[in-house]
Amino acid sequence: MNIILIGFMGSGKTSLGIRLSYKLKQPFLDTDKEIERINDKTIKEIFSAEGEESFRRMETDYIRGLLDKNVTDHVISTGGGTPLRDENMEILKELGVVVWLRITPDTVFDRLKNDTNRPLLQTEDPASTIERLLEFRNPLYEKCSDVIIDVDNKPVERIMDEVFTKSAGVYRHKKRIHRSGGMKQT
Ligand code: S3P
C-alpha cells in the first residue's frame, strides 16, 4: 500500500516523505521531481513556458500513470495543487492512504518568504496570496485525505509517529478493499 502526502507548499511533504521512505523501506517518489525529470524542465520553467493548466495536465497524467502501472508500497509526495482536480482526488484515494499535512498561513509564509521556486507565490503580497489559496484549498485537501496531521511547530519525528499511529486503521481498511478489488466503489 502506498502512503501519499498532500498539503500546501511548504508543509514538508518532501522532507517527511524521504524520512518515511527510509523508515518504511519503501521507495520514495516526488511527483514534482518526476514531472521535472520527464520534461527536463523545472516547475518554474514549465509554468512560464506552458502555463499552469499544462502543468496540471502533466500532474494528472503522471499520477494516473502510477495507478495504471499498479505502483504500490511507495511513499509518494505530491505537489501542493494536485488535489485541486476532482479527477486527481479520485486517483490519489485509489493509490493508497492519503495523509494531509495541515499547516497555517503564518508558518507557510515563514518558511517560504524567500523562496523563488514556487511560481504561484511570486506575487506582490505573498502573505495574502498564501491566505487566499489556503482558504480555497483547505476544504479540498480535507476532502481528499484519509488522515490529517497538523504540522505547525512539530518536530518531524513527532509528525512521523502521528503518520504511523493515525494511518494504521485506514491502512488496514484500504488494504482489505484493495484485495477484494472494490476500491473504485468506495
Ligand atoms: C504548487 C505546488 C508546488 C508545485 C507547483 C504548484 C501548488 O509543489 O507543484 O509550484 O499549486 O501549490 P510543492 O507543494 O511541493 O511546493
Side-chain angles (χ1 to χ4, degrees):
M1 174 75 53
N2 295 306
I3 293 195
I4 297 131
L5 303 176
I6 64 165
F8 201 74
M9 295 170 265
S11 58
K13 302 177 294 280
T14 302
S15 51
L16 179 69
I18 293 169
R19 282 175 177 251
L20 280 174
S21 130
Y22 185 73
K23 185 108 182 183
L24 290 167
K25 300 190 172 51
Q26 292 190 185
F28 175 66
L29 272 178
D30 180 316
T31 62
D32 281 342
K33 289 278 167 298
E34 291 303 308
I35 291 170
E36 288 185 329
R37 188 181 55 77
I38 292 163
N39 291 280
D40 197 22
K41 279 188 193 138
T42 63
I43 303 279
K44 209 169 151 182
E45 287 165 349
I46 297 173
F47 265 69
S48 71
E50 303 174 43
E52 181 175 350
E53 219 13 67
S54 177
F55 172 71
R56 297 296 173 205
R57 263 196 309 278
M58 294 173 190
E59 274 186 314
T60 304
D61 289 347
Y62 182 72
I63 57 172
R64 182 172 296 291
L66 296 180
L67 202 57
D68 292 345
K69 282 182 276 183
N70 223 349
V71 167
T72 191
D73 297 332
H74 279 61
V75 177
I76 301 168
S77 140
T78 58
T82 313
L84 299 185
R85 285 186 167 193
D86 284 349
E87 194 184 357
N88 295 1
M89 260 193 220
E90 306 268 314
I91 298 172
L92 295 179
K93 277 180 170 284
E94 221 174 301
L95 265 175
V97 178
V98 183
V99 178
W100 171 26
L101 305 183
R102 183 164 59 186
I103 191 165
T104 60
D106 288 348
T107 309
V108 175
F109 182 70
D110 231 44
R111 291 184 183 178
L112 297 184
K113 55 181 181 292
N114 299 318
D115 180 274
T116 54
N117 292 319
R118 267 70 169 207
L120 296 179
L121 301 184
Q122 308 313 303
T123 63
E124 267 183 25
D125 183 0
S128 16
T129 306
I130 290 167
E131 235 171 89
R132 184 176 47 78
L133 286 174
L134 266 177
E135 201 176 297
F136 176 78
R137 290 179 175 194
N138 278 347
L140 302 175
Y141 292 140
E142 183 165 12
K143 194 169 159 203
C144 187
S145 59
D146 297 306
V147 169
I148 303 174
I149 298 177
D150 288 305
V151 297
D152 298 77
N153 305 316
K154 267 187 204 157
V156 71
E157 289 74 20
R158 169 125 178 253
I159 299 174
M160 298 254 287
D161 287 346
E162 285 191 33
V163 172
F164 293 126
T165 49
K166 291 188 170 177
S167 301
V170 188
Y171 195 91
R172 281 195 296 274
H173 176 68
K174 283 205 158 180
K175 201 149 185 154
R176 260 199 314 274
I177 300 172
H178 219 74
R179 273 206 212 102
S180 67
M183 200 68 169
K184 283 195 171 100
Q185 278 83 48
T186 63

